[in-house]
Every structure is written in structure tokens, then in C-alpha cells.
């Protein structure tokens, strides 16, 4: 070894030792703020944040999702704290598995990112009961979210416990951890007026209580104009650059805690969309108007496992976020926003210390400028706010083309490095593929629930009981059953006249059974009979339900009765607890009145008869969705169509490859799916959206839930469906595309700032359409290429009226010459 080599080796060893010491030491950070931004260790900063919720994915996915968020240009991760999962029973706590809050926050810090902890403890979040544990409802004399001593006692106790837990783990920035902000309460202004003085006193108490917990970092309250003292009021919404009235004190910065990347969906909803261009415009607009922290809600949505979604909310949560439900990059949204963050970072110096000004260039055309006196630091945001018409404006002697409803970013007041409407990021298309390994030789078996009657050992009452008070949110299901005695005199004599069962329900759903049969199949009928005709037209379907907008409904169905004793059994079903609004502790659900119309003696009101209640299902009690529980009942072979209240089970092997996994249940109706005892949430494909399609028919199964072989798949079906149509699919984004126009700017990563001057990183800074394979895959074929004017979307491009015929051949030649997937 030569001497220079030995010296170099020694230097490398020393560097490694120094690096190890630095990484092992926690650096305490001072976090303060002024009217411009948050200040960390005396320096202002720009913050690009994203909401990622630890309970909405297994821990095995955390690191990958957080890494992708950082690669997307984020430096802050925001999460709620979910009270009801951490304290499901009063005084009994759970911080294990994907409820391990401390581990999640530490992981954020390990990636060199900051964290915002939204303690709440009311969070809304489309989460069951807004995050409140059900036992809180049963505290005597409690009124949620008001100047109410019982509520304040429990709220403060939980909040303090979480803060102490974070302090003990040294997770606040003041201790060297990643947490730079905490939030107390959540969008309280939306209900504050309902409580009048009690509301005003409560919000000031909450803010003061939080500050006194001494976290060493600022507190925020979102959508809270009267946030007290040093607590920062922040904006939630789609366009906070225009809708936010600003901080309630000039000493507080302009922060955006929720920029909705699309919208969560409820069963019965049409698809939710928000384009990458629209989202980018809103962020650029916000930073052009004094904003310094913008948070995407959600950046990764994840899955509402089990029964944790709020009323009518689907299992899939914010799938339109930059990272989709399966943990794959949703392109171009992820890449377009990554480039936006890079462009804004080039503007950092002037944005945080420059003097702001505005120049108008006519209707809907303006420039927001930040200049630092006596330096070359200058940033300009050129805005075309017209949603239909592109424009060209002259700014400081140069002409700039602005597409409709777009903002161009000029980090030196000269060079366009980014336009919110001109997407040069990669595109992708998601596909589902039936797994050969998982669907091989599926052998379904079934177990049917018994229909209870009043004679069984049930909870007896003089009328149907309110559902949540009885079930205490331990199950979606509550049976109500009664019996009536009729003779031939009561019953209609004509075959085409049927009595009608009428139930007024406070929600959410009802399945009706008469004499042990689902109303749809209440009797054996002759092929030409009137009843058979009604059944053929499905007018006797024995289920009814409300909606997310109107939970209550009237169940009104023709029924078949017989002389003698008739048993009426009603299965009340709820789809999550509400997550917002005043007086959550007083909300109710379930059967209200029951009557039989159309008897010869008129209407028979059976509301105040003797009733029996049974909580939950036998399958839930036996836990038939687990290996041990499935052995407690007798299963029978099944195939094809099945009836209501049927449990199904089978075993499958883990799918081939490493792509994400899902289950397709489009041939079923409503129920829940478990894999190896873990619930992946409620499905409801029979509730169609206005488009005539279900809101969701494919449901994510994390690979972390699987074993290599013999995975137990259990399904509970409430109404009926074709079990043979259920299949396991793998999910991919293997169709990738790129699209570039001559007017588009080069990629922003080809720019850097040196001495307030924007320079090229590479000499060749031409506009380019670039493809890069995801997840270490390789290109198999080129399906479309056009130098011209194609139109459509990724995976569905169509040639325009001006395209070079040789485009595809040339691209294929380049692809075959390349050994890299770029």
C-alpha cells in the first residue's frame, strides 16, 4: 500500500468515527416563531409537511412510506393521536404494534425529519367517534368539548399522559427529538357558537392548559380564530392562500395544517378527484402570500382497518393522496409536488427575509415579489388566476407565458424553474392482476348465523332498545326480536295483497327476518304467483339503510305472515360512530318504531310489545375468523350464490412477487373481511354511487398480515352474494408514462442557487420526457410513443392529428440500447 493510500484510509476511519459520534448525540433545538415563520435554532425555515397516520398501516410499512415522503421533498410529518385505540377501556392502555406512537415518532426523527403531533384529543379524522373512546360517553354529567368539568378532567388527563410519554422518550425538539409543533383541539370554531359562553371559556382553557404542559415547542389550533395567548391559529381547506384571514396576532406565522389532497369517501359516494395541477397551484399561491408551512392532508391515507372508520366512511382512506393506499407513488401528483418543493427551496432566502410586494398586470394577472434590500435575492410568483384562458405578461422587460390557472416560480425574478400547470414529472397507471398462487384451488366453506327469537335468553325490554347504549360499540350488530299471534281473521284473503312491515330507524341499516327467513325469501312461491313476481323484481329485499347525509330511514317491506305465532327478528346494523358535530355524547342509532300495516284489522303497532335484544353475532362470539375460533362451529361446503348472514372461509397461499395485495369482492353485497384473524375493514359493494358503481370493490390486504402458506381468509356477508367471484389480486403501477410540451420548463432539479443567482446544474438543460422504473423493475415493452399531439391519460393515450409515424420505432431502438431503466 502506498503512503497516500494509507493516509487516505486513516482519514476515512477518522471521518467514520466522527460521523458515529455525531449520529449518536441528540441535538436540542430551540423552536420559536415570529410573524414570518417558525424559527429553529435562530433560523427561519420553509416547511413542507404531510399527514401520515400510524394506525392506518401496519408498522412494517412505516419506514417505506416515510422514506417516500422524504424523497417527495417533505421535511415534516404530521399525525393525530388516536385516544380510542390507546385507551379502549378506561384506564387500560395499548401502545403496541401499529399503535406504537413512540416508535413512529422516533422513526420520523431517524429519517432526519420533523414531526407535528396533533394530540386533540378530539381529532375528527373520519375516525370512529372522532377519536373519543366510547366509555367517555358514559361518564356521568359529561358534555364533550365544552366548559364541562368531567370532560375537561378526562381530556387533560389523556393529553398530559401523551405529552409526558413524548417527554420521557425525549421526542420534543427541545430535547433533541423531531416534534416541533403540537396541536390541541381541532376545528373547534365549527361548533363553538352552539356552546356560547361555555365554548369561549373552553377553548381558552384548552389553549392555556396545553401551554402549561411545557413542551418547549409552539402549540397550534386549526381553524380557531380566537386561539389564546401564544397558540397559533392555522388554516384548513383547499385554498388557504386565498381563504385564510390570517393569524390573530401579527407576531404569529401563516401556517396551513390541512391542504386536502382530494377527499375521503363514504359508501355511496362517487369518485373523489383533485388534480396535481390544482394542488400545486394552491401550495404555490399560499407560499406566495406569506405562507411558510403547508401540510398535505393526507400525504398517505392508508386503510381504516376493522371498525375504526366513522359513519359510512369506506375502508380506503384518501387513496388520491401523493402516495396511494397500497404505498405506491401516485404519479404525477407525487413527482409534480416534489418538483414544487424543490422550486420553493430555491426561493428560501428571499421568501424568509425579503420585502413582499404585489404588481398587477390586468384582470387575473399579478406578480407576488420578495426582494431583500441591498442584495440580489429576489423571488417572483407570476400568477394567472383565470381558470379558462392562458396569458402572456411582461415582467421586468421579459415576456412570460402563463397557462390558465397557473403560477410560474422565478427564484431570481428572471428564470422560470417551475409552473404549477406544466407537469414534467412521470405519470403512472394502477392495475389489478389476479394472483395465480393465491387463487389456486380455493375451497370455500360456509357457516350460517341462527336467527334468534323472543323465546331465547335475550335482553328483555318493553320496546326496542337504542343500539349504541346496548352494544357499547363492541359490534356493528344488535338483534331485536318480538312475536305476534294472528288468526285468519287478521290476514288478507287475497294473494296479491300483502301486509307491510314498517320500521322507522335512526340508522344506519336494518335486515328483516320473518319466521326465521330473510324477507326476500320469506316463502316458497308458485312460479306464476304474484309473490313470485315481486321476488323476481327484487321488491321484497329485506334490507334498508340510510346514508352519510341522512342516517335515519324508513324500512317498509311486504312480508308473508301465517296464522298462529309469527316471529319478527330485526338485525340493526351501524357503520361506525359519528366523528363531528355538537353533543356527540347524545347521538343515537337503531330501531325507533315498528308496525305492521295492511292487516284486516288495520295497522298493528308492535313498538311497545315485549322485545328481546341480542348483542352481536354468534360468529363474532366464537371468533370464527381466527384459526382457533373457526373450529368451534360446523362448516359446510359451498359454491356460487349464497344467502344472508353467511360466514365463509378458505385458505390461500401468499401471492407471487412483492407487489401489494388486495381482495376483489365485487360479487358480494356487504360485510367484513379478515385475513389470519385481522380485519381489513367493512365492505359494501351493493351500495352504488350515482355513477352506478360501488364506491369501493377492492380492499387492501397488507403483506405483513400473511404467512407463506395456508392463510385463513374469512368473510361475513350480511345480504348475499356469489362467493366464487371473490379473488385475490396483486396491485401494480407498472404502466409508466412521460409527457412533455415545448413550452414546459426543464426539470427543476437541473437548477441550483449560487450567490443569489440561479444556475444550471448540467450544461445540457433541455426539456426532456423521462421515465424511471419503480421498485427496481425493468422495462418490458414500449406500448405508445408519439412526437406530435397525442391526448388521453397514462395507459390510455391516443394519437392526435399530427404525430411522427416513426416515434415508437425510434424509442424502442433507444430502449433496447439501454441497460438502465431510465
Amino acid at each position: 500500500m502506498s503512503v497516500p493510500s494509507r493516509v487516505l484510509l486513516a482519514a476515512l476511519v477518522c471521518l467514520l468515527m466522527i460521523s458515529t459520534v455525531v449520529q449518536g448525540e441528540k441535538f436540542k433545538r430551540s423552536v420559536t416563531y415570529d410573524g414570518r415563520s417558525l424559527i429553529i435554532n435562530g433560523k427561519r425555515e420553509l416547511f413542507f409537511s404531510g399527514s401520515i397516520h400510524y394506525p392506518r398501516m401496519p408498522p412494517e410499512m412505516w419506514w417505506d412510506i416515510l422514506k417516500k415522503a422524504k424523497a417527495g421533498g417533505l421535511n415534516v410529518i404530521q399525525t393525530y393521536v388516536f385516544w380510542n385505540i390507546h385507551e379502549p377501556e378506561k384506564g387500560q392502555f395499548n401502545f403496541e404494534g401499529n399503535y406504537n406512537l413512540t416508535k413512529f415518532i422516533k422513526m420520523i426523527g431517524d429519517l432526519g425529519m420533523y414531526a407535528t403531533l396533533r394530540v386533540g384529543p378530539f381529532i375528527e379524522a373520519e375516525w370512529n367517534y372522532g377519536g373519543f373512546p366510547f366509555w367517555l360517553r358514559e361518564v356521568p354529567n359529561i358534555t364533550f368539548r365544552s366548559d364541562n368539568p368531567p370532560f375537561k378532567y378526562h381530556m387533560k388527563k389523556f393529553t398530559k399522559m401523551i405529552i409526558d410519554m413524548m417527554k420521557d422518550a425525549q421526542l420534543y425538539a427541545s430535547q433533541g427529538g423531531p416534534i416541533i409543533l403540537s396541536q390541541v383541539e381541532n376545528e373547534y370554531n365549527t361548533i363553538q357558537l352552539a356552546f356560547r359562553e361555555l365554548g369561549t371559556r373552553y377553548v381558552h382553557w384548552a389553549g392555556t392548559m396545553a401551554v402549561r404542559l411545557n413542551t418547549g415547542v409552539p402549540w397550534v389550533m386549526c381553524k380557531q380564530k380566537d386561539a389564546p395567548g401564544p397558540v397559533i391559529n392555522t388554516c384548513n381547506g383547499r385554498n388557504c392562500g386565498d381563504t385564510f384571514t390570517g393569524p390573530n396576532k401579527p407576531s404569529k406565522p401563516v401556517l396551513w395544517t390541512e391542504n386536502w389532497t382530494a377527499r375521503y369517501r363514504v359508501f355511496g359516494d362517487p369518485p373523489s378527484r383533485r388534480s396535481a395541477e390544482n394542488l400545486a397551484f394552491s401550495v404555490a399561491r399560499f407560499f406566495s402570500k406569506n405562507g411558510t408551512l403547508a401540510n398535505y392532508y393526507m400525504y398517505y391515507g392508508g386503510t381504516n382497518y376493522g371498525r375504526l372508520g366513522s359513519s359510512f366512511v369506506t375502508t380506503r382512506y384518501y387513496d388520491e393522496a401523493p402516495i396511494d393506499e397500497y404505498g405506491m407513488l401516485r404519479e404525477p401528483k407525487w413527482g409534480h409536488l416534489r418538483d414544487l418543493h424543490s422550486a420553493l427551496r430555491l426561493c428560501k432566502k428571499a421568501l424568509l427575509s425579503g420585502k413582499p410586494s404585489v404588481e398587477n398586470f390586468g384582470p387575473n394577472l399579478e406578480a407576488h415579489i420578495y426582494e431583500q434590500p441591498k442584495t440580489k435575492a429576489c423571488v417572483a410568483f407570476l400568477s394567472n388566476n383565470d381558470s379558462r384562458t392562458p396569458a402572456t405578461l411582461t415582467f421586468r422587460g421579459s415576456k412570460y407565458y402563463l397557462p390558465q390557472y397557473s403560477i410560474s416560480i422565478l427564484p431570481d425574478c428572471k428564470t422560470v424553474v417551475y409552473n404549477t400547470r406544466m407537469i414534467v414529472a412521470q405519470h403512472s397507471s394502477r392495475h389489478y392482476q389476479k394472483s395465480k398462487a393465491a387463487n389456486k384451488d380455493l375451497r370455500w366453506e360456509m357457516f350460517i348465523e341462527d336467527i334468534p327469537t323472543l323465546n331465547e335468553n335475550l335482553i328483555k325490554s318493553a320496546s326496542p332498545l337504542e343500539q349504541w347504549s346496548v352494544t357499547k360499540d363492541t359490534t356493528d350488530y344488535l338483534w331485536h326480536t318480538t312475536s305476534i299471534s294472528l288468526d285468519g281473521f287478521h290476514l288478507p284473503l287475497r294473494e296479491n295483497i300483502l301486509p307491510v312491515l314498517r320500521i322507522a330507524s335512526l340508522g344506519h341499516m336494518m335486515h328483516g327476518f320473518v319466521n326465521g327467513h330473510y324477507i326476500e325469501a320469506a316463502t316458497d312461491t308458485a312460479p306464476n304467483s304474484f309473490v313470485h313476481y315481486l321476488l323476481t323484481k327484487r321488491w321484497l329485499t329485506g334490507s334498508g339503510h340510510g346514508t352519510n347525509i341522512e342516517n335515519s330511514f324508513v324500512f317498509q317491506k311486504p312480508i308473508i305472515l301465517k296464522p298462529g305465532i309469527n316471529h319478527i327478528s330485526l338485525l340493526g346494523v351501524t357503520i361506525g360512530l359519528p366523528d363531528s358535530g355538537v353533543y356527540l355524547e347524545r347521538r343515537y342509532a337503531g330501531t325507533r318504531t315498528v308496525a305492521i300495516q295492511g292487516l284486516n284489522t288495520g295497522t298493528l303497532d308492535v313498538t311497545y310489545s315485549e322485545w328481546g335484544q341480542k348483542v352481536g353475532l354468534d360468529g363474532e362470539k366464537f371468533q370464527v375468523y381466527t384459526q382457533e375460533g373457526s373450529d368451534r362451529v360446523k362448516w359446510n361446503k359451498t359454491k356460487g350464490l349464497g344467502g344472508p348472514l353467511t360466514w365463509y372461509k378458505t385458505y390461500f397461499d401468499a401471492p407471487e412477487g412483492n407487489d401489494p395485495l388486495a381482495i376483489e369482492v365485487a360479487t358480494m353485497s356487504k360485510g367484513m373481511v379478515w385475513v389470519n384473524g385481522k380485519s381489513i375493514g367493512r365492505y359494501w359493494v351493493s351500495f352504488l354511487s350515482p355513477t352506478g358503481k360501488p364506491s369501493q370493490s377492492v380492499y387492501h390486504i397488507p403483506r405483513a398480515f400473511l404467512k407463506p402458506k395456508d392463510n385463513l381468509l374469512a368473510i361475513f356477508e350480511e345480504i348475499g352474494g356469489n362467493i366464487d367471484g371473490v379473488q385475490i389480486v396483486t396491485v401494480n403501477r407498472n404502466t409508466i408514462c412521460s409527457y412533455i410540451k415545448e413550452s414546459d420548463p426543464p426539470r427543476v432539479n437541473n437548477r441550483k442557487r449560487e450567490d443569489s443567482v440561479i444556475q444550471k446544474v448540467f450544461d445540457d438543460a433541455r426539456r426532456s420526457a423521462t421515465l424511471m422504473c419503480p421498485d427496481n423493475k425493468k422495462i418490458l415493452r414500449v406500448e405508445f410513443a408519439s412526437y406530435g399531439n397525442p391526448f388521453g391519460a397514462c395507459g390510455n393515450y391516443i394519437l392526435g392529428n399530427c404525430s411522427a409515424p416513426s416515434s415508437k420505432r425510434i424509442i424502442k431502438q433507444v430502449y433496447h440500447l439501454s441497460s438502465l431503466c431510465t
Side-chain angles (χ1 to χ4, degrees):
M1 182 182 291
S2 66
V3 174
S5 296
R6 286 199 298 270
V7 173
L8 177 59
L9 178 63
L12 286 173
V13 171
C14 290
L15 285 171
L16 286 171
M17 292 175 63
I18 294 170
S19 175
T20 303
V21 173
V22 170
Q23 290 177 10
E25 181 181 341
K26 283 205 167 191
F27 291 97
K28 297 180 180 180
R29 301 183 185 92
S30 164
V31 184
T32 57
Y33 63 80
D34 61 12
R36 189 70 194 98
S37 75
L38 296 177
I39 299 172
I40 297 184
N41 287 344
K43 294 183 179 180
R44 291 173 176 162
E45 184 58 88
L46 298 178
F47 299 93
F48 308 103
S49 176
S51 291
I52 298 174
H53 296 160
Y54 54 99
R56 284 178 157 137
M57 56 178 162
E60 291 83 353
M61 291 180 66
W62 288 355
W63 185 258
D64 180 63
I65 297 297
L66 292 173
K67 275 204 312 180
K68 288 175 178 175
K70 183 175 183 178
L74 300 192
N75 55 2
V76 184
I77 299 297
Q78 181 202 86
T79 185
Y80 281 121
V81 179
F82 299 76
W83 188 357
N84 57 359
I85 63 170
H86 292 310
E87 193 178 4
E89 301 291 336
K90 187 177 179 180
Q92 297 180 15
F93 298 98
N94 182 3
F95 288 91
E96 302 298 322
N98 63 329
Y99 300 166
N100 193 332
L101 172 62
T102 299
K103 180 179 178 180
F104 183 71
I105 300 297
K106 283 182 177 178
M107 199 174 286
I108 295 170
D110 290 343
L111 280 165
M113 304 174 77
Y114 299 123
T116 298
L117 193 69
R118 306 177 82 182
V119 182
F122 171 78
I123 60 173
E124 191 167 348
E126 293 70 57
W127 191 259
N128 204 44
Y129 224 22
F132 287 148
F134 191 84
W135 60 260
L136 192 67
R137 167 189 175 116
E138 300 182 320
V139 172
N141 303 314
I142 197 166
T143 301
F144 293 173
R145 307 176 72 195
S146 71
D147 188 21
N148 171 265
F151 178 75
K152 292 195 298 182
Y153 169 79
H154 289 287
M155 175 190 166
K156 180 180 179 180
K157 184 178 180 181
F158 178 77
T159 303
K160 185 177 184 302
M161 183 195 72
I162 294 298
I163 298 304
D164 288 345
M165 180 183 294
M166 297 298 101
K167 286 182 179 179
D168 290 345
Q170 296 187 316
L171 293 178
Y172 276 99
S174 56
Q175 302 171 296
I179 302 174
I180 59 171
L181 285 175
S182 297
Q183 178 180 306
V184 66
E185 252 299 334
N186 192 51
E187 297 187 347
Y188 189 68
N189 266 161
T190 59
I191 67 166
Q192 185 172 338
L193 288 177
F195 293 114
R196 301 188 180 184
E197 190 61 32
L198 292 176
T200 301
R201 291 206 302 264
Y202 165 71
V203 77
H204 281 263
W205 169 85
T208 303
M209 178 271 293
V211 171
R212 288 176 178 171
L213 293 174
N214 297 318
T215 63
V217 303
W219 284 85
V220 300
M221 281 184 170
C222 62
K223 295 182 75 170
Q224 192 62 46
K225 294 180 180 179
D226 58 343
V231 179
I232 305 167
N233 59 303
T234 66
C235 184
N236 288 0
R238 280 192 173 218
N239 298 290
C240 284
D242 291 311
T243 60
F244 188 39
T245 56
N248 58 17
K249 289 183 180 178
S251 59
K252 299 178 182 180
V254 179
L255 309 181
W256 191 355
T257 37
E258 289 189 18
N259 182 3
W260 304 323
T261 52
R263 180 176 168 79
Y264 66 92
R265 296 183 68 184
V266 300
F267 292 113
D269 259 2
S272 172
R273 297 282 185 267
R274 190 179 186 190
S275 69
E277 297 96 323
N278 182 274
L279 190 55
F281 180 93
S282 72
V283 176
R285 182 79 169 165
F286 180 72
F287 279 89
S288 77
K289 299 176 74 174
N290 299 315
T292 51
L293 182 152
N295 177 76
Y296 300 103
Y297 190 96
M298 300 287 296
Y299 196 77
Y300 168 73
T303 306
N304 293 315
Y305 302 112
R307 303 175 52 255
L308 291 174
S310 63
S311 297
F312 288 84
V313 172
T314 61
T315 299
R316 174 179 291 163
Y317 190 62
Y318 273 89
D319 182 51
E320 282 285 321
I323 303 176
D324 73 12
E325 183 190 17
Y326 303 99
M328 297 184 292
L329 304 183
R330 179 176 286 282
E331 297 280 28
K333 190 172 284 187
W334 182 87
H336 193 46
L337 296 176
R338 171 205 58 203
D339 293 346
L340 171 61
H341 306 148
S342 296
L344 289 169
R345 283 192 170 94
L346 291 173
C347 307
K348 178 179 172 180
K349 183 176 180 180
L351 271 180
L352 294 175
S353 59
K355 181 180 179 181
S357 63
V358 180
E359 292 184 23
N360 292 304
F361 299 88
N364 298 310
L365 295 174
E366 62 186 10
H368 287 261
I369 306 158
Y370 292 82
E371 290 185 279
Q372 195 175 52
K374 299 180 181 180
T375 72
K376 295 180 181 180
C378 181
V379 169
F381 295 84
L382 307 185
S383 300
N384 178 2
N385 301 324
D386 191 307
S387 61
R388 296 184 179 182
T389 308
T392 299
L393 64 80
T394 300
F395 175 70
R396 299 192 175 182
S398 298
K399 288 187 176 182
Y400 297 90
Y401 170 74
L402 293 173
Q404 63 271 31
Y405 201 63
S406 74
I407 296 176
S408 285
I409 300 176
L410 289 64
D412 57 358
C413 287
K414 297 177 183 177
T415 309
V416 176
V417 299
Y418 182 90
N419 178 274
T420 59
R421 197 173 184 88
M422 298 176 180
I423 296 180
V424 297
Q426 180 168 293
H427 299 236
S428 67
S429 178
R430 188 167 68 192
H431 303 280
Y432 299 95
Q433 185 173 344
K434 183 177 180 179
S435 167
K436 293 181 180 179
N439 294 286
K440 185 179 180 181
D441 298 328
L442 291 183
R443 296 181 177 88
W444 289 101
E445 296 179 287
M446 70 175 183
F447 157 69
I448 301 175
E449 286 278 331
D450 287 334
I451 311 300
T453 65
L454 184 61
N455 299 328
E456 298 180 23
N457 185 22
L458 306 176
I459 303 169
K460 297 296 179 16
S461 61
S463 62
L465 297 177
E466 190 277 317
Q467 185 147 344
W468 285 326
S469 298
V470 180
T471 63
K472 302 187 186 302
D473 195 35
T474 58
T475 174
D476 284 358
Y477 306 104
L478 178 65
W479 282 105
H480 308 277
T481 183
T482 190
S483 61
I484 56 174
S485 179
L486 301 171
D487 56 33
F489 176 75
H490 295 91
L491 300 175
L493 300 178
R494 296 181 181 178
E495 186 191 39
N496 62 349
I497 297 177
L498 293 174
V500 171
L501 179 64
R502 186 184 191 279
I503 303 164
S505 174
L506 295 171
H508 299 154
M509 192 175 198
M510 180 71 65
H511 304 305
F513 299 81
V514 175
N515 295 323
H517 297 283
Y518 188 55
I519 289 176
E520 183 185 36
T523 183
D524 294 327
T525 60
N528 297 322
S529 70
F530 180 71
V531 173
H532 181 81
Y533 172 76
L534 292 178
L535 289 170
T536 303
K537 296 296 184 181
R538 298 187 64 83
W539 288 351
L540 293 184
T541 302
S543 298
H545 62 82
T547 67
N548 182 55
I549 303 299
E550 182 55 65
N551 291 176
S552 61
F553 63 96
V554 174
F555 176 103
Q556 216 165 217
K557 307 290 180 181
I559 58 174
I560 307 297
L561 296 174
K562 64 182 181 179
I565 301 296
N566 290 268
H567 296 286
I568 297 175
S569 303
L570 308 175
L571 182 59
V573 184
T574 52
I575 303 100
L577 273 70
D579 69 336
S580 60
V582 296
Y583 303 120
L584 277 173
E585 72 283 353
R586 304 179 194 178
R587 303 291 181 87
Y588 301 105
T591 304
R592 187 178 178 188
T593 63
V594 184
I596 300 174
Q597 300 172 319
L599 298 174
N600 285 341
T601 51
T603 297
L604 177 62
D605 188 340
V606 295
T607 305
Y608 296 99
S609 304
E610 184 182 16
W611 285 85
Q613 272 77 208
K614 178 183 176 182
V615 176
L617 305 169
D618 291 337
E620 290 179 304
K621 176 183 176 183
F622 298 135
Q623 295 185 331
V624 299
Y625 45 83
T626 65
Q627 186 58 59
E628 181 181 0
S630 68
D631 295 334
R632 296 172 182 160
V633 300
K634 183 179 179 181
W635 297 84
N636 298 305
K637 291 183 179 180
T638 186
K639 187 175 182 180
L641 292 173
L645 306 192
T646 303
W647 293 85
Y648 298 94
K649 77 166 184 176
T650 191
Y651 293 89
F652 70 95
D653 293 339
E656 58 281 0
N658 297 310
D659 286 337
L661 176 66
I663 183 169
E664 167 69 64
V665 291
T667 59
M668 306 302 282
S669 295
K670 182 183 180 299
M672 189 176 286
V673 179
W674 291 261
V675 174
N676 292 329
K678 296 181 179 181
S679 171
I680 64 168
R682 305 178 180 100
Y683 68 85
W684 195 357
V685 293
S686 61
F687 190 176
L688 302 182
S689 76
T691 65
K693 298 179 180 180
S695 300
Q696 183 182 349
S697 61
V698 182
Y699 292 76
H700 181 208
I701 301 174
R703 280 193 177 262
F705 287 7
L706 299 188
K707 304 178 295 183
K709 299 279 187 181
D710 298 325
N711 295 282
L712 173 60
L713 171 61
I715 297 177
F716 175 64
E717 171 55 52
E718 296 176 22
I719 300 172
N722 183 358
I723 194 64
D724 288 342
V726 173
Q727 59 184 16
I728 307 296
V729 296
T730 57
V731 192
N732 68 70
R733 287 188 175 272
N734 290 346
T735 300
I736 57 175
C737 311
S738 190
Y739 183 91
I740 195 80
K741 299 188 296 294
E742 290 179 346
S743 58
D744 291 349
R747 282 285 301 274
V748 69
N749 63 354
N750 190 45
R751 304 289 184 179
K752 65 180 180 179
R753 173 182 289 278
E754 286 189 5
D755 298 326
S756 299
V757 177
I758 300 302
Q759 298 181 350
K760 298 176 184 178
V761 175
F762 308 106
D763 290 335
D764 184 7
R766 293 176 296 180
R767 298 165 180 84
S768 63
T770 304
L771 290 177
M772 296 186 68
C773 292
D775 303 321
N776 299 314
K777 295 181 179 179
K778 61 181 181 180
I779 292 175
L780 295 180
R781 61 186 177 274
V782 176
E783 296 181 342
F784 182 91
S786 169
Y787 182 82
N789 61 344
F791 59 94
C794 187
N796 192 31
Y797 281 125
I798 300 172
L799 289 173
N801 59 11
C802 178
S803 291
S806 60
S807 297
K808 190 173 180 179
R809 176 176 56 81
I810 293 171
I811 294 297
K812 282 186 173 182
Q813 288 174 351
V814 174
Y815 148 63
H816 283 301
L817 291 172
S818 175
S819 61
L820 300 175
C821 187
T822 302

